[in-house]
Structures are given as C-alpha cells and as structure tokens.
C-alpha cells in the first residue's frame, strides 16, 4: 500500500467509507454488507480478482490502524474528483445510517468529511437528509 499521500483514486474511494465504518470502533454486520455491496457494484472493484479486492481492503485497514481516520480521509479526499467525492459522501451517509444508530463519533466523521470535500454545504445537507429519511424506522 502506498503512503497515504499516494493513494490512487480507487484506493481513496474505498478508504473513505471504510474509515467511516471503523471510526466508532465497531463493525456492524449491516455496515460490512453495505460497504461490500456498494464497492463491488462499481466496475473498478468488480473487475478485481477477489484476492486483490481483499488485499485492497486489508491494506486500508492496516493503514487505519497505523493512522487515524482523520489522517486517512484527509489524504483520500484530494485524490477524488467532485463526482467521486459526492458519491463517496453519499455512501458514507448510507453506511453510517444503515444500522439506525448514529454515534457522536460518526456525526463527527460526517462533519469532518463534509468540511474536507469540495461539495457545496447545501449539497452535503441534502445528502444527509435523504439518508436519514431512507434509514429511519418509521413502522
């Protein structure tokens, strides 16, 4: 795995949601399923051999243990263009809300990520609101 500053866009895109689900020190089953499904639904990850995909995730998890989630996302965000940032932010929102429990550290993660991204604040609020609505237990 290259140094954090040398992340490829593919590594950076995967690093952001992975950092999100690890920031609260828990790894819920729902989160693991969603991140795997969401990454593998994208052509770049789907084209990887399963071993290579596993190594990508393992390498990012290793970096997460060595560095803070704050350092990882700070290195990852600049590697992504605006569309990739927007999709990564939406994916993070989905992951954080999928277990219907948003911890304080997860809220901190969302705010830190939104601050690092080039997205308009109104756009990040819109994405957050949609994810909250989609994942509320209303029945």
């Amino acid at each position: 795995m290259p140094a954090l500053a040398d992340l490829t866009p593919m590594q950076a895109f995967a690093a952001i949601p992975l950092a999100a689900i690890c920031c609260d020190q828990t790894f819920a089953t729902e989160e693991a399923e969603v991140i795997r499904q969401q990454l593998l639904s994208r052509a770049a990850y789907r084209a990887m051999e399963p071993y290579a995909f596993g190594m990508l995730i393992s390498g990012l998890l290793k970096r997460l243990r060595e560095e803070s989630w704050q350092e990882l996302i700070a290195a990852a965000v600049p590697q992504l263009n605006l569309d990739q940032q927007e999709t990564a932010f939406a994916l993070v929102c989905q992951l954080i809300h999928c277990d219907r429990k948003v911890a304080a550290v997860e809220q901190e993660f969302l705010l830190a990520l939104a601050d690092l991204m080039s997205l308009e604040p109104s756009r990040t609020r819109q994405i957050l609101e949609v994810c909250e609505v989609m994942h509320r237990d209303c029945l």
Side-chain angles (χ1 to χ4, degrees):
M1 177 73 48
L4 286 178
D6 297 331
L7 292 173
T8 66
M10 199 164 127
Q11 291 167 325
F13 187 88
I16 292 171
L18 192 62
I21 62 174
C22 293
C23 74
D24 65 354
Q25 307 294 315
T26 63
F27 199 73
T29 303
E30 296 94 346
E31 293 169 330
E33 289 174 13
V34 171
I35 192 172
R36 185 175 186 282
Q37 289 171 347
Q38 285 296 317
L39 290 178
L40 291 176
S41 72
R42 286 154 175 76
Y45 302 105
R46 193 173 47 250
M48 295 176 80
E49 293 292 326
Y51 178 78
F53 181 77
M55 292 302 295
L56 169 71
I57 300 301
S58 292
L60 291 170
L61 286 169
K62 181 178 185 286
R63 283 288 181 186
L64 213 49
R65 285 189 299 272
E66 295 170 353
E67 308 287 337
S68 68
W69 62 259
Q70 292 92 338
E71 291 172 305
L72 185 57
I73 65 172
V77 168
Q79 305 308 315
L80 303 177
N81 66 36
L82 190 58
D83 286 342
Q84 293 165 336
Q85 287 182 25
E86 183 179 59
T87 301
F89 188 75
L91 176 54
V92 164
C93 290
Q94 181 183 11
L95 285 164
I96 286 178
H97 286 91
C98 74
D99 64 359
R100 294 178 181 80
K101 298 172 198 149
V102 180
V105 70
E106 291 173 320
Q107 191 66 35
E108 178 188 342
F109 184 95
L110 286 170
L111 293 172
L113 183 60
D115 191 47
L116 287 171
M117 292 194 159
S118 303
L119 304 175
E120 292 291 326
S122 62
R123 185 65 171 154
T124 58
R125 279 191 306 276
Q126 182 183 40
I127 293 167
L128 279 167
E129 289 170 4
V130 168
C131 284
E132 288 169 2
V133 169
M134 282 178 34
H135 292 284
R136 72 177 163 215
D137 194 0
C138 63
L139 295 178

PDB file of all heavy atoms in Angstrom, residues 65-91:
ATOM      1  N   ARG A  65      -5.267   1.328  11.172  1.00  0.00           N
ATOM      2  CA  ARG A  65      -4.700   1.009  12.486  1.00  0.00           C
ATOM      3  C   ARG A  65      -3.454   1.845  12.768  1.00  0.00           C
ATOM      4  O   ARG A  65      -3.167   2.184  13.904  1.00  0.00           O
ATOM      5  CB  ARG A  65      -4.365  -0.481  12.573  1.00  0.00           C
ATOM      6  CG  ARG A  65      -5.586  -1.375  12.737  1.00  0.00           C
ATOM      7  CD  ARG A  65      -5.199  -2.811  13.036  1.00  0.00           C
ATOM      8  NE  ARG A  65      -4.409  -3.439  11.986  1.00  0.00           N
ATOM      9  CZ  ARG A  65      -4.902  -4.082  10.933  1.00  0.00           C
ATOM     10  NH1 ARG A  65      -6.203  -4.185  10.777  1.00  0.00           N
ATOM     11  NH2 ARG A  65      -4.115  -4.628  10.052  1.00  0.00           N
ATOM     12  N   GLU A  66      -2.690   2.163  11.721  1.00  0.00           N
ATOM     13  CA  GLU A  66      -1.454   2.932  11.870  1.00  0.00           C
ATOM     14  C   GLU A  66      -1.700   4.434  11.940  1.00  0.00           C
ATOM     15  O   GLU A  66      -0.924   5.160  12.547  1.00  0.00           O
ATOM     16  CB  GLU A  66      -0.515   2.637  10.698  1.00  0.00           C
ATOM     17  CG  GLU A  66      -0.027   1.205  10.662  1.00  0.00           C
ATOM     18  CD  GLU A  66       0.703   0.863   9.370  1.00  0.00           C
ATOM     19  OE1 GLU A  66       0.733   1.693   8.435  1.00  0.00           O
ATOM     20  OE2 GLU A  66       1.232  -0.260   9.291  1.00  0.00           O
ATOM     21  N   GLU A  67      -2.735   4.889  11.274  1.00  0.00           N
ATOM     22  CA  GLU A  67      -3.053   6.314  11.194  1.00  0.00           C
ATOM     23  C   GLU A  67      -4.472   6.508  11.727  1.00  0.00           C
ATOM     24  O   GLU A  67      -5.231   5.562  11.833  1.00  0.00           O
ATOM     25  CB  GLU A  67      -3.011   6.792   9.731  1.00  0.00           C
ATOM     26  CG  GLU A  67      -1.745   6.442   8.994  1.00  0.00           C
ATOM     27  CD  GLU A  67      -0.547   7.271   9.422  1.00  0.00           C
ATOM     28  OE1 GLU A  67      -0.750   8.388   9.948  1.00  0.00           O
ATOM     29  OE2 GLU A  67       0.588   6.810   9.227  1.00  0.00           O
ATOM     30  N   SER A  68      -4.838   7.710  12.005  1.00  0.00           N
ATOM     31  CA  SER A  68      -6.208   7.987  12.442  1.00  0.00           C
ATOM     32  C   SER A  68      -7.133   8.068  11.230  1.00  0.00           C
ATOM     33  O   SER A  68      -6.683   8.251  10.097  1.00  0.00           O
ATOM     34  CB  SER A  68      -6.253   9.308  13.201  1.00  0.00           C
ATOM     35  OG  SER A  68      -5.983  10.387  12.313  1.00  0.00           O
ATOM     36  N   TRP A  69      -8.427   7.931  11.497  1.00  0.00           N
ATOM     37  CA  TRP A  69      -9.385   8.079  10.399  1.00  0.00           C
ATOM     38  C   TRP A  69      -9.313   9.490   9.824  1.00  0.00           C
ATOM     39  O   TRP A  69      -9.508   9.695   8.635  1.00  0.00           O
ATOM     40  CB  TRP A  69     -10.803   7.680  10.801  1.00  0.00           C
ATOM     41  CG  TRP A  69     -11.464   8.468  11.897  1.00  0.00           C
ATOM     42  CD1 TRP A  69     -11.603   8.105  13.206  1.00  0.00           C
ATOM     43  CD2 TRP A  69     -12.123   9.747  11.784  1.00  0.00           C
ATOM     44  NE1 TRP A  69     -12.280   9.073  13.908  1.00  0.00           N
ATOM     45  CE2 TRP A  69     -12.618  10.089  13.058  1.00  0.00           C
ATOM     46  CE3 TRP A  69     -12.326  10.627  10.729  1.00  0.00           C
ATOM     47  CZ2 TRP A  69     -13.309  11.279  13.306  1.00  0.00           C
ATOM     48  CZ3 TRP A  69     -13.017  11.812  10.977  1.00  0.00           C
ATOM     49  CH2 TRP A  69     -13.497  12.125  12.245  1.00  0.00           C
ATOM     50  N   GLN A  70      -8.986  10.468  10.671  1.00  0.00           N
ATOM     51  CA  GLN A  70      -8.872  11.848  10.204  1.00  0.00           C
ATOM     52  C   GLN A  70      -7.749  11.986   9.172  1.00  0.00           C
ATOM     53  O   GLN A  70      -7.912  12.663   8.151  1.00  0.00           O
ATOM     54  CB  GLN A  70      -8.608  12.802  11.387  1.00  0.00           C
ATOM     55  CG  GLN A  70      -9.764  12.930  12.340  1.00  0.00           C
ATOM     56  CD  GLN A  70      -9.710  11.941  13.517  1.00  0.00           C
ATOM     57  OE1 GLN A  70      -9.059  10.893  13.449  1.00  0.00           O
ATOM     58  NE2 GLN A  70     -10.391  12.278  14.600  1.00  0.00           N
ATOM     59  N   GLU A  71      -6.621  11.335   9.439  1.00  0.00           N
ATOM     60  CA  GLU A  71      -5.498  11.398   8.501  1.00  0.00           C
ATOM     61  C   GLU A  71      -5.815  10.662   7.207  1.00  0.00           C
ATOM     62  O   GLU A  71      -5.441  11.114   6.122  1.00  0.00           O
ATOM     63  CB  GLU A  71      -4.239  10.814   9.145  1.00  0.00           C
ATOM     64  CG  GLU A  71      -3.692  11.676  10.268  1.00  0.00           C
ATOM     65  CD  GLU A  71      -2.560  11.005  11.019  1.00  0.00           C
ATOM     66  OE1 GLU A  71      -2.745   9.885  11.517  1.00  0.00           O
ATOM     67  OE2 GLU A  71      -1.484  11.633  11.088  1.00  0.00           O
ATOM     68  N   LEU A  72      -6.497   9.547   7.333  1.00  0.00           N
ATOM     69  CA  LEU A  72      -6.838   8.773   6.142  1.00  0.00           C
ATOM     70  C   LEU A  72      -7.775   9.548   5.226  1.00  0.00           C
ATOM     71  O   LEU A  72      -7.539   9.637   4.023  1.00  0.00           O
ATOM     72  CB  LEU A  72      -7.449   7.416   6.523  1.00  0.00           C
ATOM     73  CG  LEU A  72      -7.746   6.473   5.371  1.00  0.00           C
ATOM     74  CD1 LEU A  72      -6.501   6.179   4.540  1.00  0.00           C
ATOM     75  CD2 LEU A  72      -8.350   5.179   5.885  1.00  0.00           C
ATOM     76  N   ILE A  73      -8.827  10.132   5.775  1.00  0.00           N
ATOM     77  CA  ILE A  73      -9.748  10.867   4.890  1.00  0.00           C
ATOM     78  C   ILE A  73      -9.113  12.145   4.358  1.00  0.00           C
ATOM     79  O   ILE A  73      -9.384  12.546   3.226  1.00  0.00           O
ATOM     80  CB  ILE A  73     -11.131  11.125   5.529  1.00  0.00           C
ATOM     81  CG1 ILE A  73     -11.061  12.043   6.738  1.00  0.00           C
ATOM     82  CG2 ILE A  73     -11.830   9.802   5.841  1.00  0.00           C
ATOM     83  CD1 ILE A  73     -12.418  12.484   7.274  1.00  0.00           C
ATOM     84  N   ALA A  74      -8.240  12.762   5.149  1.00  0.00           N
ATOM     85  CA  ALA A  74      -7.550  13.968   4.676  1.00  0.00           C
ATOM     86  C   ALA A  74      -6.652  13.651   3.482  1.00  0.00           C
ATOM     87  O   ALA A  74      -6.471  14.479   2.586  1.00  0.00           O
ATOM     88  CB  ALA A  74      -6.734  14.602   5.798  1.00  0.00           C
ATOM     89  N   ALA A  75      -6.085  12.465   3.458  1.00  0.00           N
ATOM     90  CA  ALA A  75      -5.247  12.045   2.332  1.00  0.00           C
ATOM     91  C   ALA A  75      -6.087  11.554   1.159  1.00  0.00           C
ATOM     92  O   ALA A  75      -5.707  11.720   0.006  1.00  0.00           O
ATOM     93  CB  ALA A  75      -4.286  10.947   2.777  1.00  0.00           C
ATOM     94  N   ALA A  76      -7.249  10.966   1.450  1.00  0.00           N
ATOM     95  CA  ALA A  76      -8.074  10.369   0.399  1.00  0.00           C
ATOM     96  C   ALA A  76      -8.871  11.393  -0.397  1.00  0.00           C
ATOM     97  O   ALA A  76      -8.937  11.310  -1.630  1.00  0.00           O
ATOM     98  CB  ALA A  76      -9.016   9.330   1.008  1.00  0.00           C
ATOM     99  N   VAL A  77      -9.478  12.336   0.277  1.00  0.00           N
ATOM    100  CA  VAL A  77     -10.382  13.278  -0.401  1.00  0.00           C
ATOM    101  C   VAL A  77      -9.729  13.993  -1.589  1.00  0.00           C
ATOM    102  O   VAL A  77     -10.329  14.053  -2.665  1.00  0.00           O
ATOM    103  CB  VAL A  77     -10.998  14.278   0.607  1.00  0.00           C
ATOM    104  CG1 VAL A  77     -11.705  15.425  -0.103  1.00  0.00           C
ATOM    105  CG2 VAL A  77     -11.970  13.565   1.537  1.00  0.00           C
ATOM    106  N   PRO A  78      -8.507  14.522  -1.457  1.00  0.00           N
ATOM    107  CA  PRO A  78      -7.918  15.237  -2.600  1.00  0.00           C
ATOM    108  C   PRO A  78      -7.665  14.355  -3.829  1.00  0.00           C
ATOM    109  O   PRO A  78      -7.445  14.881  -4.925  1.00  0.00           O
ATOM    110  CB  PRO A  78      -6.593  15.780  -2.052  1.00  0.00           C
ATOM    111  CG  PRO A  78      -6.726  15.750  -0.580  1.00  0.00           C
ATOM    112  CD  PRO A  78      -7.658  14.631  -0.266  1.00  0.00           C
ATOM    113  N   GLN A  79      -7.683  13.051  -3.658  1.00  0.00           N
ATOM    114  CA  GLN A  79      -7.450  12.139  -4.786  1.00  0.00           C
ATOM    115  C   GLN A  79      -8.700  11.930  -5.637  1.00  0.00           C
ATOM    116  O   GLN A  79      -8.639  11.291  -6.685  1.00  0.00           O
ATOM    117  CB  GLN A  79      -6.942  10.792  -4.277  1.00  0.00           C
ATOM    118  CG  GLN A  79      -5.711  10.873  -3.397  1.00  0.00           C
ATOM    119  CD  GLN A  79      -4.584  11.660  -4.039  1.00  0.00           C
ATOM    120  OE1 GLN A  79      -4.280  11.488  -5.210  1.00  0.00           O
ATOM    121  NE2 GLN A  79      -3.978  12.554  -3.274  1.00  0.00           N
ATOM    122  N   LEU A  80      -9.837  12.458  -5.170  1.00  0.00           N
ATOM    123  CA  LEU A  80     -11.119  12.232  -5.842  1.00  0.00           C
ATOM    124  C   LEU A  80     -11.617  13.498  -6.525  1.00  0.00           C
ATOM    125  O   LEU A  80     -11.501  14.591  -5.974  1.00  0.00           O
ATOM    126  CB  LEU A  80     -12.164  11.761  -4.824  1.00  0.00           C
ATOM    127  CG  LEU A  80     -11.814  10.501  -4.024  1.00  0.00           C
ATOM    128  CD1 LEU A  80     -12.912  10.206  -3.017  1.00  0.00           C
ATOM    129  CD2 LEU A  80     -11.576   9.317  -4.951  1.00  0.00           C
ATOM    130  N   ASN A  81     -12.216  13.319  -7.706  1.00  0.00           N
ATOM    131  CA  ASN A  81     -12.838  14.464  -8.360  1.00  0.00           C
ATOM    132  C   ASN A  81     -14.181  14.755  -7.681  1.00  0.00           C
ATOM    133  O   ASN A  81     -14.603  14.025  -6.774  1.00  0.00           O
ATOM    134  CB  ASN A  81     -12.970  14.235  -9.875  1.00  0.00           C
ATOM    135  CG  ASN A  81     -13.937  13.114 -10.243  1.00  0.00           C
ATOM    136  OD1 ASN A  81     -14.965  12.904  -9.590  1.00  0.00           O
ATOM    137  ND2 ASN A  81     -13.609  12.385 -11.304  1.00  0.00           N
ATOM    138  N   LEU A  82     -14.851  15.795  -8.096  1.00  0.00           N
ATOM    139  CA  LEU A  82     -16.075  16.239  -7.441  1.00  0.00           C
ATOM    140  C   LEU A  82     -17.167  15.168  -7.458  1.00  0.00           C
ATOM    141  O   LEU A  82     -17.832  14.927  -6.435  1.00  0.00           O
ATOM    142  CB  LEU A  82     -16.584  17.536  -8.078  1.00  0.00           C
ATOM    143  CG  LEU A  82     -17.706  18.254  -7.354  1.00  0.00           C
ATOM    144  CD1 LEU A  82     -17.314  18.612  -5.931  1.00  0.00           C
ATOM    145  CD2 LEU A  82     -18.099  19.504  -8.126  1.00  0.00           C
ATOM    146  N   ASP A  83     -17.371  14.503  -8.587  1.00  0.00           N
ATOM    147  CA  ASP A  83     -18.377  13.436  -8.660  1.00  0.00           C
ATOM    148  C   ASP A  83     -18.035  12.286  -7.722  1.00  0.00           C
ATOM    149  O   ASP A  83     -18.913  11.733  -7.048  1.00  0.00           O
ATOM    150  CB  ASP A  83     -18.515  12.896 -10.090  1.00  0.00           C
ATOM    151  CG  ASP A  83     -19.239  13.854 -11.021  1.00  0.00           C
ATOM    152  OD1 ASP A  83     -19.932  14.783 -10.522  1.00  0.00           O
ATOM    153  OD2 ASP A  83     -19.119  13.675 -12.248  1.00  0.00           O
ATOM    154  N   GLN A  84     -16.765  11.913  -7.677  1.00  0.00           N
ATOM    155  CA  GLN A  84     -16.340  10.838  -6.784  1.00  0.00           C
ATOM    156  C   GLN A  84     -16.515  11.234  -5.322  1.00  0.00           C
ATOM    157  O   GLN A  84     -16.937  10.419  -4.500  1.00  0.00           O
ATOM    158  CB  GLN A  84     -14.878  10.473  -7.060  1.00  0.00           C
ATOM    159  CG  GLN A  84     -14.665   9.838  -8.418  1.00  0.00           C
ATOM    160  CD  GLN A  84     -13.204   9.812  -8.826  1.00  0.00           C
ATOM    161  OE1 GLN A  84     -12.379  10.606  -8.372  1.00  0.00           O
ATOM    162  NE2 GLN A  84     -12.863   8.882  -9.724  1.00  0.00           N
ATOM    163  N   GLN A  85     -16.219  12.488  -4.999  1.00  0.00           N
ATOM    164  CA  GLN A  85     -16.420  12.974  -3.634  1.00  0.00           C
ATOM    165  C   GLN A  85     -17.891  12.907  -3.245  1.00  0.00           C
ATOM    166  O   GLN A  85     -18.234  12.462  -2.148  1.00  0.00           O
ATOM    167  CB  GLN A  85     -15.914  14.415  -3.482  1.00  0.00           C
ATOM    168  CG  GLN A  85     -14.416  14.546  -3.479  1.00  0.00           C
ATOM    169  CD  GLN A  85     -13.971  15.982  -3.283  1.00  0.00           C
ATOM    170  OE1 GLN A  85     -14.682  16.799  -2.709  1.00  0.00           O
ATOM    171  NE2 GLN A  85     -12.768  16.289  -3.759  1.00  0.00           N
ATOM    172  N   GLU A  86     -18.750  13.350  -4.144  1.00  0.00           N
ATOM    173  CA  GLU A  86     -20.185  13.348  -3.864  1.00  0.00           C
ATOM    174  C   GLU A  86     -20.695  11.925  -3.624  1.00  0.00           C
ATOM    175  O   GLU A  86     -21.425  11.668  -2.668  1.00  0.00           O
ATOM    176  CB  GLU A  86     -20.943  14.001  -5.016  1.00  0.00           C
ATOM    177  CG  GLU A  86     -22.430  14.113  -4.779  1.00  0.00           C
ATOM    178  CD  GLU A  86     -23.127  14.796  -5.930  1.00  0.00           C
ATOM    179  OE1 GLU A  86     -23.039  14.290  -7.077  1.00  0.00           O
ATOM    180  OE2 GLU A  86     -23.773  15.821  -5.683  1.00  0.00           O
ATOM    181  N   THR A  87     -20.282  11.001  -4.462  1.00  0.00           N
ATOM    182  CA  THR A  87     -20.714   9.606  -4.317  1.00  0.00           C
ATOM    183  C   THR A  87     -20.136   8.999  -3.042  1.00  0.00           C
ATOM    184  O   THR A  87     -20.836   8.285  -2.314  1.00  0.00           O
ATOM    185  CB  THR A  87     -20.314   8.786  -5.555  1.00  0.00           C
ATOM    186  OG1 THR A  87     -20.931   9.383  -6.700  1.00  0.00           O
ATOM    187  CG2 THR A  87     -20.766   7.342  -5.431  1.00  0.00           C
ATOM    188  N   ALA A  88     -18.877   9.282  -2.748  1.00  0.00           N
ATOM    189  CA  ALA A  88     -18.264   8.768  -1.519  1.00  0.00           C
ATOM    190  C   ALA A  88     -18.990   9.317  -0.292  1.00  0.00           C
ATOM    191  O   ALA A  88     -19.239   8.576   0.666  1.00  0.00           O
ATOM    192  CB  ALA A  88     -16.776   9.127  -1.471  1.00  0.00           C
ATOM    193  N   PHE A  89     -19.348  10.591  -0.321  1.00  0.00           N
ATOM    194  CA  PHE A  89     -20.069  11.180   0.812  1.00  0.00           C
ATOM    195  C   PHE A  89     -21.440  10.519   0.974  1.00  0.00           C
ATOM    196  O   PHE A  89     -21.842  10.178   2.093  1.00  0.00           O
ATOM    197  CB  PHE A  89     -20.215  12.696   0.639  1.00  0.00           C
ATOM    198  CG  PHE A  89     -20.776  13.367   1.854  1.00  0.00           C
ATOM    199  CD1 PHE A  89     -19.990  13.570   2.978  1.00  0.00           C
ATOM    200  CD2 PHE A  89     -22.094  13.779   1.895  1.00  0.00           C
ATOM    201  CE1 PHE A  89     -20.503  14.168   4.119  1.00  0.00           C
ATOM    202  CE2 PHE A  89     -22.624  14.379   3.022  1.00  0.00           C
ATOM    203  CZ  PHE A  89     -21.825  14.579   4.145  1.00  0.00           C
ATOM    204  N   ALA A  90     -22.140  10.312  -0.125  1.00  0.00           N
ATOM    205  CA  ALA A  90     -23.452   9.653  -0.060  1.00  0.00           C
ATOM    206  C   ALA A  90     -23.317   8.229   0.470  1.00  0.00           C
ATOM    207  O   ALA A  90     -24.132   7.773   1.282  1.00  0.00           O
ATOM    208  CB  ALA A  90     -24.112   9.653  -1.439  1.00  0.00           C
ATOM    209  N   LEU A  91     -22.292   7.517   0.030  1.00  0.00           N
ATOM    210  CA  LEU A  91     -22.057   6.156   0.506  1.00  0.00           C
ATOM    211  C   LEU A  91     -21.776   6.153   2.007  1.00  0.00           C
ATOM    212  O   LEU A  91     -22.305   5.320   2.749  1.00  0.00           O
ATOM    213  CB  LEU A  91     -20.910   5.514  -0.268  1.00  0.00           C
ATOM    214  CG  LEU A  91     -20.472   4.119   0.157  1.00  0.00           C
ATOM    215  CD1 LEU A  91     -21.644   3.146   0.185  1.00  0.00           C
ATOM    216  CD2 LEU A  91     -19.385   3.606  -0.764  1.00  0.00           C
TER     217      LEU A  91
END
